[in-house]
Amino acid sequence: MSSMFKVHILGCGSATPTRRHRPSCQIVDYRGNLLMIDCGEGAQLEMRRQGLKFSRLSHIFISHLHGDHVFGLPGLVSTMALHEKGGRLTIHTFGEGIKILKPLLDYFCRDTPFEIVWSEVKPGQTMTLLDTPSLTVQSFPLYHRIPCSGYLFREKPKARHLNGEMIKFFNIPIRDLAALKAGADWTRPDTGEVIANERLTTPADPSRSYAYCSDTIPSQLVAEAVKGVDLLYHEATYADDNACKARPRGHSTAREAGEIAREASVGRLMIGHYSKRYKSEDALLEQARETFGGEVIAADEGLIVEV
Amino acid sequence: MSSMFKVHILGCGSATPTRRHRPSCQIVDYRGNLLMIDCGEGAQLEMRRQGLKFSRLSHIFISHLHGDHVFGLPGLVSTMALHEKGGRLTIHTFGEGIKILKPLLDYFCRDTPFEIVWSEVKPGQTMTLLDTPSLTVQSFPLYHRIPCSGYLFREKPKARHLNGEMIKFFNIPIRDLAALKAGADWTRPDTGEVIANERLTTPADPSRSYAYCSDTIPSQLVAEAVKGVDLLYHEATYADDNACKARPRGHSTAREAGEIAREASVGRLMIGHYSKRYKSEDALLEQARETFGGEVIAADEGLIVEV
């Protein structure tokens, strides 16, 4: 079951693409539906490289309006228009993003075989942008040089598992099963006896959650917004050696990313948005581990992390 | 001397980037000055890969407003703004291109350390866009589904080489040498005797020329516009197997590219803008050679061709 909710890294470098890392882009694969977060230049090529189907991409969430988080969008949408993709593609971005990006797509991507829907994200707010029977996606404020939002992917509580033998033993009709899955007790129609739900079901699988935080300074408010998620992606642009650069540029160090992860009691931390100066992520990883104390993963193009 | 005028291939695929080819982009390196033609997605990364310096790029010529020829522009300009590049960057494109691209760069690339100059190319016309003491760049019409221009890079006639021994023999003063280089005869001040230029100089190096034709159907008008160039880049989107697709899509076959090259009596032909269906350029090359009869080069990312 765990492979039904995973994160693909398509780009985890900072502003300038290098030979080692592309600019920011991730894809959350939730039960085969692809949800993209940020869309740096080259996103379409990286999707193709990783065998991710354009036809399955339905939503794109843009964190903020710096070029390294959006310049892949026109190329991606143009290429999708040449492929089998139908239905709709919803692009979630600030009002300003709609103002600047919509004319561009209107011009270069006329006659797409799918509908492009623009969904306005309000900076500085927590908003539910997607609400399906099994998953919600919420935006929450990050704290960067310009308005910026993080995104929280959270599975809804799942159904309890029916105990087939007990269902059979009590001869419970199908019409009552949904209530059992939701946790209700069951009353025998013949005797009026109440059978506790725990006798008829086993616990639901845990609901998992993933939070994306890039770009941001370290903030208690962010730690609260991502409290207890199973997997946290937090930017770690700098190591200790360039810590002084982080704050004026609206970024975090790896050490600070680890602190936020610890304060938020997350399951695992993934770091990324590396400054181009680093030829290896070893120091960043080590420093994030020191403060977090738990498992830290270094994002890398092609990496797939199960949530 | 020949290495002072060369063409770098940064992308030679058609609309959809693949693992084999990037979308259209070339750089003409003329005596260390870099002039870009088209700017498909990933141009900045390919410049970096090929060791081409952002600081030396001064002009970008856009052939037409399809995404695969322009989507690399905002990322390239953003990255250049983070580098040492100063002076100015001139972007040559149609009025419509200025209308759609300028707001984008104004938004995402504020405060560039260099000036961005927009130069309007008129579709359907021959225009001189750059005129230096040694090189001119002209636009000329191509014939695609939407307005499209080719670009012709032509060296100006060069100075004849002075014959040092003869200059010394006649004791010709320095002030007269420029006229000799330009081809003038020389009159002895003492005797009035006219010394023929051919005795005092040897012929100038040939002036070389390069023409870029993508995207276009094959056209006599194009053949005339590029008459006699040393190197012609002509699109060859399809081989014979898909020849029927070429005309409705505003493209040429490799065979047709060869015909245009032959009719224009060019020195060498370089083909490119390959449809993504081709896993090898062998058939395209062979068919272009059949009709051209001369040397045909298959463009490829990283290839450097001396003009």
Side-chain angles (χ1 to χ4, degrees):
Chain A
M1 292 290 285
S2 62
S3 67
M4 293 172 69
F5 189 4
K6 54 194 174 185
V7 180
H8 296 252
I9 306 301
L10 281 76
C12 56
S14 60
T16 308
T18 64
R19 294 184 213 198
R20 297 189 68 239
H21 295 298
R22 292 183 184 275
S24 294
C25 183
Q26 300 189 358
I27 284 185
V28 173
D29 178 347
Y30 189 73
R31 301 185 175 184
N33 296 309
L34 305 185
L35 312 168
M36 182 179 277
I37 318 169
D38 283 335
C39 189
E41 188 173 353
Q44 61 162 319
L45 201 58
E46 198 60 26
M47 275 190 80
R48 194 183 287 268
R49 276 212 182 99
Q50 299 189 22
L52 293 159
K53 290 217 169 113
F54 294 125
S55 59
R56 293 201 166 161
L57 181 60
S58 53
H59 290 265
I60 301 176
F61 301 90
I62 302 294
S63 67
H64 67 297
L65 296 166
H66 275 154
D68 57 320
H69 294 250
V70 296
F71 284 162
L73 193 60
L76 171 65
V77 174
S78 298
T79 293
M80 285 171 69
L82 298 174
H83 282 72
E84 73 278 31
K85 164 78 184 167
R88 49 165 66 182
L89 174 70
T90 305
I91 302 172
H92 305 264
T93 182
F94 300 144
E96 218 177 342
I98 298 174
K99 210 171 118 194
I100 197 79
L101 296 171
K102 186 174 182 303
L104 193 71
L105 295 199
D106 285 348
Y107 185 84
F108 285 107
C109 313
R110 276 167 277 201
D111 308 321
T112 52
F114 49 89
E115 185 193 359
I116 298 176
V117 179
W118 294 89
S119 152
E120 185 178 344
V121 180
K122 304 267 189 196
Q125 295 185 21
T126 295
M127 286 175 75
T128 298
L129 299 167
L130 184 63
D131 188 0
T132 78
S134 49
L135 187 81
T136 59
V137 183
Q138 287 188 311
S139 65
F140 58 91
L142 297 178
Y143 304 93
H144 191 41
R145 300 200 303 280
I146 61 171
C148 190
S149 282
Y151 292 102
L152 176 56
F153 298 73
R154 194 185 285 283
E155 279 187 310
K156 289 186 176 174
K158 295 177 184 170
R160 293 177 67 88
H161 297 287
L162 297 173
N163 181 329
E165 285 187 18
M166 295 300 280
I167 303 299
K168 206 165 170 188
F169 177 81
F170 286 111
N171 198 21
I172 301 178
I174 290 173
R175 66 171 178 275
D176 291 352
L177 298 184
L180 296 190
K181 284 183 184 173
D185 297 332
W186 185 70
T187 308
R188 288 183 73 148
D190 49 356
T191 65
E193 183 191 359
V194 173
I195 313 295
N197 185 281
E198 289 69 27
R199 290 183 62 198
L200 304 171
T201 68
T202 52
D205 295 324
S207 296
R208 288 155 305 160
S209 49
Y210 172 61
Y212 174 90
C213 301
S214 184
D215 302 359
T216 190
I217 57 169
S219 161
Q220 288 301 324
L221 297 170
V222 171
E224 279 162 36
V226 303
K227 195 84 187 168
V229 297
D230 295 284
L231 178 65
L232 168 68
Y233 175 84
H234 196 289
E235 72 131 288
T237 308
Y238 301 104
D240 289 348
D241 59 348
N242 281 279
C244 60
K245 295 201 172 70
R247 210 52 36 88
R249 297 185 184 179
H251 290 304
S252 303
T253 64
R255 192 172 292 283
E256 289 165 336
E259 280 163 11
I260 295 297
R262 192 190 63 229
E263 282 162 28
S265 306
V266 307
R268 288 175 301 159
L269 168 65
M270 174 159 56
I271 56 169
H273 202 264
Y274 314 119
S275 163
K276 71 172 159 50
R277 78 194 62 230
Y278 298 113
K279 306 295 175 229
S280 144
E281 284 76 44
D282 292 349
L284 296 157
L285 262 181
E286 192 188 315
Q287 289 159 22
R289 279 179 184 137
E290 271 178 36
T291 47
F292 177 40
E295 183 183 346
V296 183
I297 301 160
D300 197 15
E301 284 73 8
L303 183 72
I304 304 171
V305 184
E306 299 200 352
V307 175
Chain B
M1 292 291 283
S2 62
S3 68
M4 291 172 69
F5 189 4
K6 54 194 174 185
V7 180
H8 297 251
I9 306 301
L10 282 76
C12 56
S14 60
T16 308
T18 65
R19 294 183 213 197
R20 297 189 68 238
H21 295 298
R22 292 183 183 274
S24 294
C25 183
Q26 298 189 0
I27 284 185
V28 173
D29 179 346
Y30 188 72
R31 301 186 175 184
N33 296 309
L34 305 185
L35 312 169
M36 181 179 279
I37 318 168
D38 283 335
C39 189
E41 188 173 354
Q44 60 162 318
L45 201 57
E46 198 61 26
M47 275 191 79
R48 194 184 287 269
R49 275 211 182 99
Q50 298 190 23
L52 292 160
K53 290 215 168 117
F54 294 125
S55 58
R56 294 202 165 162
L57 181 60
S58 54
H59 290 265
I60 301 177
F61 301 89
I62 302 294
S63 66
H64 66 297
L65 296 165
H66 275 153
D68 57 320
H69 293 250
V70 295
F71 285 162
L73 193 60
L76 171 65
V77 175
S78 298
T79 293
M80 284 171 70
L82 298 174
H83 283 71
E84 72 277 31
K85 164 78 183 166
R88 49 165 66 182
L89 174 70
T90 305
I91 302 172
H92 305 264
T93 182
F94 300 143
E96 218 176 342
I98 298 174
K99 208 171 119 193
I100 197 78
L101 296 171
K102 186 174 181 302
L104 193 70
L105 296 199
D106 285 347
Y107 185 84
F108 285 108
C109 314
R110 275 166 279 200
D111 308 321
T112 53
F114 49 90
E115 186 192 359
I116 298 176
V117 179
W118 294 89
S119 152
E120 186 178 344
V121 180
K122 304 267 189 196
Q125 296 186 19
T126 296
M127 287 176 74
T128 299
L129 300 166
L130 184 62
D131 188 0
T132 77
S134 50
L135 186 82
T136 60
V137 183
Q138 287 188 311
S139 65
F140 57 91
L142 297 178
Y143 304 93
H144 190 42
R145 301 200 304 279
I146 61 170
C148 190
S149 282
Y151 292 102
L152 176 55
F153 298 74
R154 195 185 284 282
E155 279 186 310
K156 289 188 177 172
K158 296 177 184 171
R160 293 178 67 87
H161 297 286
L162 298 173
N163 181 329
E165 285 187 16
M166 295 300 279
I167 303 300
K168 206 165 169 187
F169 177 83
F170 288 110
N171 197 22
I172 302 179
I174 289 173
R175 65 171 179 276
D176 291 352
L177 297 184
L180 296 189
K181 285 184 185 174
D185 297 331
W186 185 70
T187 307
R188 288 184 74 148
D190 48 355
T191 65
E193 183 192 358
V194 173
I195 314 294
N197 186 281
E198 290 69 29
R199 289 183 64 197
L200 304 170
T201 68
T202 52
D205 295 324
S207 295
R208 288 155 305 160
S209 49
Y210 172 62
Y212 174 90
C213 302
S214 185
D215 303 3
T216 191
I217 59 169
S219 162
Q220 288 302 324
L221 297 170
V222 171
E224 280 162 37
V226 304
K227 194 84 187 168
V229 297
D230 296 285
L231 179 65
L232 168 67
Y233 175 84
H234 196 289
E235 72 131 289
T237 308
Y238 301 103
D240 289 348
D241 59 348
N242 281 279
C244 61
K245 294 203 173 72
R247 211 52 36 90
R249 298 185 185 178
H251 290 302
S252 303
T253 64
R255 193 171 293 282
E256 289 165 337
E259 280 163 11
I260 294 297
R262 192 191 63 229
E263 283 163 27
S265 306
V266 308
R268 288 175 300 159
L269 168 65
M270 175 159 55
I271 56 169
H273 202 265
Y274 315 120
S275 162
K276 71 171 160 46
R277 77 194 62 230
Y278 299 113
K279 306 295 176 230
S280 144
E281 284 77 44
D282 291 349
L284 297 157
L285 262 181
E286 192 187 315
Q287 290 160 22
R289 279 178 185 139
E290 271 177 35
T291 47
F292 178 39
E295 184 183 347
V296 184
I297 302 160
D300 196 16
E301 284 73 10
L303 183 71
I304 304 171
V305 184
E306 299 200 351
V307 176

